[in-house]
Amino acid sequence: MNSARIWLLALLPLAAALAGAPCFAQASHPSAPKPQELELSIIVVRSAEEGQQILERLKTGELFRALAAERSIDPTASSGGYLGKMDPDEMRPELRDALRGVAPGHVTPVVRMPEGYAILEVMNSTKVKGDAGYANSSQILAASATGSVRYGPDISGFSEAMTALSKFPKAAGWNQDLRATCQDRTQSIADLIQRLKFILDPAKPEARAGHSELEIAQAHYTLAQLYAYQGDMDPAVEQYHQAWEIAASSVPEAGPRLEEALGTAYLHRSEMINGVYKSPGDRCLFPMRPDESYRATADSEQAVQHFLHYLEDSPGDLEVRWLLNLAYMTLGKYPSGVPKAYLIAPAAFASGAGIGRFVDVAPQAGLVQFSMAGGTIVDDFEGDGLLDVVTSSSGVCDPMHFFRNNGDGTFTDRAAQAGLSDQLGGLNMVQTDYNNDGCLDILVLRGGWELPERKSLLRNNCNGTFTDVTAASGLALPATSTQTAVWADINNDGLLDLFVGNENGPAQLFLNQGDGTFKDIAHSAGVDRVAFTKGVAAGDYDNDGYVDLYVSNLSGGNFLYHNNHNNTFTEMAQQAGVPGNGHGFATWFFDYNNDGWPDIFVTSFYPSIDESLRTYLGLPHRAATLKLYQNLGNGHFRDVTAEVGLDKVIMAMGANFGDIDNDGFPDIYLGTGNPSYSSLLPNVLLHNEGGQRFVDVTASSGTGELHKGHGVAFADIDRDGDEDLLEEVGGAVPGDRHAFRLFENPGNGNDWINLKLVGVKSNRPAIGARIKLTVDDKGQGQRSIYRTVGSGGSFGASPFEQHIGLGKSARILSLEIGWPASGTKQTFTDVGKNQFLEIREFAPDYQKLERHPFRLGGAKKDAGTLPEGRAAAR
């Protein structure tokens, strides 16, 4: 066998199950006949190499169930890996593909999936019956579909690029060197593209010798994916076309999915040609107005034709129907031009209330960047009372941005001057003051969804520059795959500790030793469970004065770690009633109903457009919804998801909370998406109506960005008394870069107060400090409003200063601050509203701060002309 053939076979999903695409699965076509259910077991491990070792052991006769119990990181390990009876058509595409042709009693190759590397066993039914020790058949792998969840093809090249990097020879310690990581990523893709071009070169027929039509079609498809990954859509479309043409005659079962892929590629190219990624304006906001239609329409018209052709055989496919509707929007023909049989009416997305329309002013303000998925921090890094904006990008060659607030409504990127331009990559970030010097530091998190990479702890030098102290602090090793971490003082010693959630690896808990270094005590603390963790949060859920931890996992149940007051924790999720939804992502503690007890919110994540559309169309869900757990105040929670209107499936990634209308109740913004270019769903703004229910106000507010939403922050960036919404938009691949969004709040008539707390015995930024405001306001009477100092959600960071809405015509009766390290409480009365205050721990009084409002984009606002409730202290 020649070397070209060996390389090509290494790419095929049925050979190595690594770089393949779900397009070639016959069972995935909605109109295909249903296969019989299979009795399945599974082993999931952390690396392809470990998977191959297990395959070799299986070949020598070792029992699958014994190896599952010994080596699998999936929740089914305790039951010998048993999944029960499953319909392959209802499983994740990569698992479904691997099962094709596998006979009972045999196993699949190693399959790459988000949670790790899997091996499936198709069991003999006689082997299962009465076999003690196996789990109930209702026990289903979280990585598989729930019910019959419909997963579309991933048109982005993300998986192919990941496979190229994982197979690429890398030097020892490569993932500790940010520039080496960049070089390896770039070279690995270039090498793979050259190999594929060699195989497919018409001038070299010998390179194709011995390849089946399926293999050649797959090679075209893989090459198309790699071009699409880079955003080179002209050659990508050409290669998708060639794969589709081969499939039409030789691999007909692959045709429908390839047609959807081709339509998606045309639609993405149409967006790029029309400049909606770099200069989105309102063209990326749903619903798109007819006057925002595209000028260059040829590619959108091609997309329409491919989607229509696909729907002739599969008229009920919601994903392709939705893409068809979007394509008609770009042509200015929605809804009237959409064939009635396929129309998804705009009424399905109508807002349940109106809170005013937000306007994106990022370009005018100088917040100009064009990036992939990444993190956002909004806070005062220079101590001048102005909120700066720091962003990262998951692109491993992309530098950080440090947008300094100029105080006149504009920002200037000073990353180079701050020493941050050499910090490459980073899917998320979170701010801190780990050394209590009064200057905010930055932690950059890397490797989420991908290979392990080192973190970066960036010490603020209090002079406008930062120093990378990762290695010296003890946070560099080992490199992990993560996007989520939270700073919290777990033992009330006044020093901020760090909890990190990792993917397919044990969590880390770094105890701050007070000398600039950290020690990982996760094992002795009892929090080093292995999971595919996507979100972590800290909060004192039982109000005992010690912070607890909540961990959201993509696969399996979530963890609630109760603080035992001695640097150890006890896992209480099931007992407390907060097990999660099995597909967890972003999460946080917040008091949504202002009863003084922190509640828990956690999103679910299914890369399924179909499931998200079911929320809008009122169709039954096949997937787990968001979850809101109300704290009952006795150590237990109650699932109130349905009664507050959050029983929705929203493909949420970046997420945070804030008070968009100053009514005192926290609202929610969810950035949506997955790597595929077909993942075009509006980001979602949910308004909290008095702690009773959440109402979708996306359409009326103008915040329904259709592209991938990541780092999200709420902040009064222009100091006018209401919270604006900032979001880093961009996908997981270079071809899906997008401009930053700054949605300016239109204002409201409610009152507010802004509090900056400064710890003395407690940690300096006052993380974990508790605020209670008792107010008397119009229509509400006397009530209390509760906040805890932190950066908000687990994907995006709001300022540590707390902007708190008070309601209409409010009068503050009392302001109470509870400090975590000292356990002391400060109480103030006769506090004025609509002003900025600083409160230091132990101080007998507060200090008024000068904060002047300015117009985003330039020119200071006249506080006297602001709407009622928005005047800032002068």
Side-chain angles (χ1 to χ4, degrees):
M1 183 181 294
N2 63 50
S3 60
R5 177 170 173 78
I6 293 173
W7 179 256
L8 177 59
L9 288 175
L11 293 172
L12 295 179
L14 302 182
L18 288 171
C23 293
F24 289 86
Q26 180 178 11
S28 65
H29 184 230
S31 62
K34 291 275 188 181
Q36 292 183 347
E37 286 187 336
L38 301 176
E39 203 91 36
L40 299 173
S41 292
I42 193 166
I43 296 171
V44 182
V45 292
R46 297 183 183 88
S47 68
E49 293 75 15
E50 188 178 3
Q52 291 298 330
Q53 293 171 6
I54 289 175
L55 274 181
E56 294 302 317
R57 292 175 64 177
L58 289 170
K59 289 178 183 178
T60 64
E62 292 194 52
L63 293 177
F64 192 98
R65 61 179 295 187
L67 287 172
E70 174 190 344
R71 302 290 293 275
S72 182
I73 62 174
D74 189 73
T76 58
S78 60
S79 302
Y82 183 62
L83 289 173
K85 288 186 176 181
M86 299 188 71
D87 182 343
D89 196 29
E90 298 175 359
M91 299 182 69
R92 294 182 61 95
E94 62 269 38
L95 302 182
R96 180 176 62 225
D97 292 351
L99 284 165
R100 291 183 64 203
V102 178
H106 292 75
V107 300
T108 68
V110 179
V111 186
R112 184 180 184 274
M113 57 188 218
E115 292 80 5
Y117 295 81
I119 302 168
L120 290 161
E121 178 188 33
V122 180
M123 306 179 70
N124 289 309
S125 58
T126 55
K127 177 180 177 181
V128 178
K129 291 179 180 178
D131 195 353
Y134 278 103
N136 186 286
S137 62
S138 64
Q139 190 172 1
I140 299 174
L141 174 70
S144 70
T146 299
S148 51
V149 172
R150 195 276 197 191
Y151 293 96
D154 175 15
I155 311 303
S156 71
F158 179 79
S159 294
E160 288 78 2
M162 270 300 304
T163 299
L165 180 60
S166 66
K167 290 179 173 290
F168 187 76
K170 297 175 284 293
W174 67 278
N175 55 11
Q176 293 290 325
D177 184 333
L178 300 180
R179 294 214 170 272
T181 303
C182 166
Q183 292 166 2
D184 288 347
R185 166 74 85 185
T186 303
Q187 193 61 49
S188 65
I189 293 172
D191 286 0
L192 180 50
I193 288 176
Q194 288 305 311
R195 288 174 182 268
L196 287 167
K197 288 173 69 176
F198 173 78
I199 291 168
L200 297 173
D201 188 349
K204 298 183 176 66
E206 69 279 4
R208 293 181 177 232
H211 294 314
S212 68
E213 289 294 288
L214 172 62
E215 291 169 357
I216 295 301
Q218 180 68 71
H220 281 296
Y221 182 84
T222 301
L223 184 55
Q225 289 280 83
L226 291 170
Y227 282 134
Y229 174 87
Q230 298 180 134
D232 297 332
M233 295 311 295
D234 290 348
V237 167
E238 179 185 350
Q239 294 298 322
Y240 285 127
H241 256 296
Q242 294 198 45
W244 179 54
E245 289 170 359
I246 294 172
S249 60
S250 303
V251 197
E253 64 269 24
R257 281 290 181 257
L258 279 170
E259 185 129 50
E260 178 181 354
L262 195 50
T264 299
Y266 271 116
L267 183 57
H268 187 70
R269 187 166 73 172
S270 183
E271 292 180 299
M272 295 182 74
I273 289 173
N274 285 280
V276 301
Y277 287 93
K278 286 189 174 180
S279 303
D282 287 350
R283 292 180 297 171
C284 297
L285 301 182
F286 185 84
M288 182 190 292
R289 299 193 306 267
D291 61 340
E292 296 287 349
S293 60
Y294 295 176
R295 293 187 176 184
T297 61
D299 284 294
S300 289
E301 290 166 356
Q302 286 285 342
V304 164
Q305 293 308 310
H306 283 289
F307 295 145
L308 285 173
H309 189 259
Y310 177 98
L311 289 168
E312 288 177 4
D313 292 328
S314 306
D317 191 310
L318 278 179
E319 175 170 323
V320 179
R321 280 181 59 194
W322 170 246
L323 293 172
L324 177 69
N325 280 254
L326 288 180
Y328 273 111
M329 284 182 209
T330 68
L331 297 172
K333 298 179 180 180
Y334 174 87
S336 59
V338 183
K340 288 186 178 180
Y342 306 137
L343 176 65
I344 299 177
F349 300 88
S351 292
I355 46 87
R357 189 169 181 86
F358 290 62
V359 177
D360 177 23
V361 296
Q364 300 93 307
L367 287 171
V368 178
Q369 72 168 45
F370 187 58
S371 74
M372 294 165 57
T376 299
I377 304 173
V378 180
D379 218 320
D380 180 3
F381 286 93
E382 296 191 336
D384 57 4
L386 299 169
L387 297 176
D388 310 301
V389 180
V390 184
T391 65
S392 66
S393 170
S394 59
V396 295
C397 299
D398 294 351
M400 288 176 62
H401 294 274
F402 182 87
F403 293 102
R404 181 181 184 273
N405 191 328
N406 298 321
D408 60 359
T410 67
F411 295 78
T412 301
D413 189 355
R414 295 183 57 83
Q417 296 89 329
L420 297 176
S421 55
D422 288 336
Q423 292 294 325
L424 308 180
L427 186 53
N428 195 17
M429 300 181 299
V430 62
Q431 77 271 42
T432 183
D433 183 0
Y434 76 94
N435 56 1
N436 284 335
D437 64 357
C439 303
L440 293 180
D441 315 299
I442 299 171
L443 177 73
V444 183
L445 303 163
R446 301 184 176 92
W449 299 111
E450 303 196 41
L451 299 181
E453 295 180 55
R454 77 166 175 91
K455 311 167 189 69
S456 284
L457 179 61
L458 308 174
R459 186 189 66 211
N460 190 332
N461 299 319
C462 303
N463 61 1
T465 68
F466 293 80
T467 299
D468 189 333
V469 295
T470 318
S473 69
L475 298 183
L477 295 171
T480 62
S481 296
T482 182
Q483 66 175 49
T484 185
V486 64
W487 293 90
D489 183 358
I490 66 165
N491 54 9
N492 288 337
D493 64 355
L495 300 170
L496 287 170
D497 312 299
L498 175 65
F499 181 72
V500 180
N502 292 312
E503 298 174 2
N504 282 342
Q508 297 165 298
L509 177 58
F510 293 100
L511 190 69
N512 190 330
Q513 301 190 96
D515 58 359
T517 67
F518 295 82
K519 178 183 179 182
D520 188 354
I521 63 166
H523 182 68
S524 64
V527 297
D528 61 338
R529 295 189 176 208
V530 174
F532 198 91
T533 297
K534 299 304 292 181
V536 297
D540 182 4
Y541 78 88
D542 56 353
N543 287 346
D544 66 352
Y546 283 78
V547 68
D548 311 298
L549 302 170
Y550 191 68
V551 181
S552 174
N553 300 315
L554 187 65
S555 176
N558 294 347
F559 310 140
L560 175 63
Y561 290 118
H562 177 259
N563 193 324
N564 299 324
H565 307 181
N566 60 359
N567 286 355
T568 71
F569 294 78
T570 301
E571 205 287 300
M572 301 288 290
Q574 290 291 339
Q575 298 93 315
V578 291
N581 47 45
H583 282 249
F585 208 102
T587 188
W588 56 71
F589 288 91
F590 71 157
D591 191 349
Y592 83 94
N593 57 358
N594 280 324
D595 65 355
W597 295 93
D599 311 297
I600 295 175
F601 174 76
V602 59
T603 67
S604 62
F605 186 77
Y606 292 81
S608 169
I609 294 174
D610 179 279
E611 279 300 315
S612 293
L613 290 173
R614 287 175 173 274
T615 286
Y616 291 108
L617 298 176
L619 298 175
H621 283 300
R622 299 162 177 169
T625 67
L626 309 170
K627 287 293 182 183
L628 178 62
Y629 297 111
Q630 180 189 5
N631 194 329
L632 300 177
N634 58 2
H636 295 84
F637 294 76
R638 183 170 71 94
D639 187 341
V640 296
T641 306
E643 66 187 71
V644 301
L646 290 178
D647 50 342
K648 306 171 183 290
V649 178
I650 297 173
M651 204 188 304
M653 300 182 299
N656 215 322
F657 64 91
D659 186 354
I660 56 175
D661 59 349
N662 284 341
D663 66 353
F665 292 93
D667 312 299
I668 296 171
Y669 190 72
L670 303 175
T672 64
N674 70 64
S676 180
Y677 292 148
S678 64
S679 183
L680 299 167
L681 289 163
N683 293 196
V684 178
L685 181 59
L686 300 168
H687 179 245
N688 184 343
E689 297 197 336
Q692 299 299 311
R693 63 175 185 149
F694 288 82
V695 176
D696 190 332
V697 295
T698 307
S700 65
S701 65
T703 58
E705 167 64 57
L706 281 166
H707 295 108
K708 315 320 191 283
H710 286 89
V712 174
F714 288 80
D716 183 7
I717 197 84
D718 52 3
R719 297 306 195 191
D720 66 353
D722 51 43
E723 288 192 296
D724 309 294
L725 178 60
L726 298 94
E727 180 182 27
E728 179 157 40
V729 183
V733 301
D736 211 5
R737 297 180 186 275
H738 197 282
F740 191 85
R741 291 288 201 180
L742 167 52
F743 292 109
E744 184 179 12
N745 195 316
N748 52 77
N750 288 334
D751 296 310
W752 54 273
I753 194 165
N754 186 293
L755 304 177
K756 178 184 178 181
L757 305 188
V758 181
V760 177
K761 183 176 181 180
S762 299
N763 66 87
R764 187 72 175 267
I767 293 175
R770 306 285 289 270
I771 300 168
K772 178 183 178 182
L773 276 160
T774 302
V775 301
D776 190 338
D777 57 11
K778 185 176 180 180
Q780 297 264 4
Q782 185 172 318
R783 63 181 176 128
S784 294
I785 301 169
Y786 297 86
R787 294 290 184 272
T788 301
V789 176
S791 60
S794 58
F795 204 151
S798 300
F800 288 144
E801 65 177 45
Q802 296 297 296
H803 179 93
I804 305 172
L806 305 176
K808 193 171 183 64
S809 302
R811 183 167 60 95
I812 299 175
L813 303 178
S814 67
L815 167 61
E816 299 176 21
I817 311 294
W819 294 92
S822 64
T824 58
K825 181 180 292 185
Q826 293 165 296
T827 302
F828 305 98
T829 57
D830 298 319
V831 178
K833 62 187 179 183
N834 301 335
Q835 60 182 334
F836 297 83
L837 305 180
E838 179 178 293
I839 302 175
R840 296 180 66 88
E841 188 175 13
F842 306 121
D845 205 351
Y846 53 79
Q847 178 185 354
K848 293 184 180 181
L849 299 175
E850 289 290 327
R851 300 284 189 265
H852 299 290
F854 47 79
R855 190 175 305 282
L856 289 166
K860 185 175 290 187
K861 292 181 179 177
D862 181 356
T865 65
L866 293 175
E868 180 186 355
R870 298 183 76 191
R874 307 296 285 180

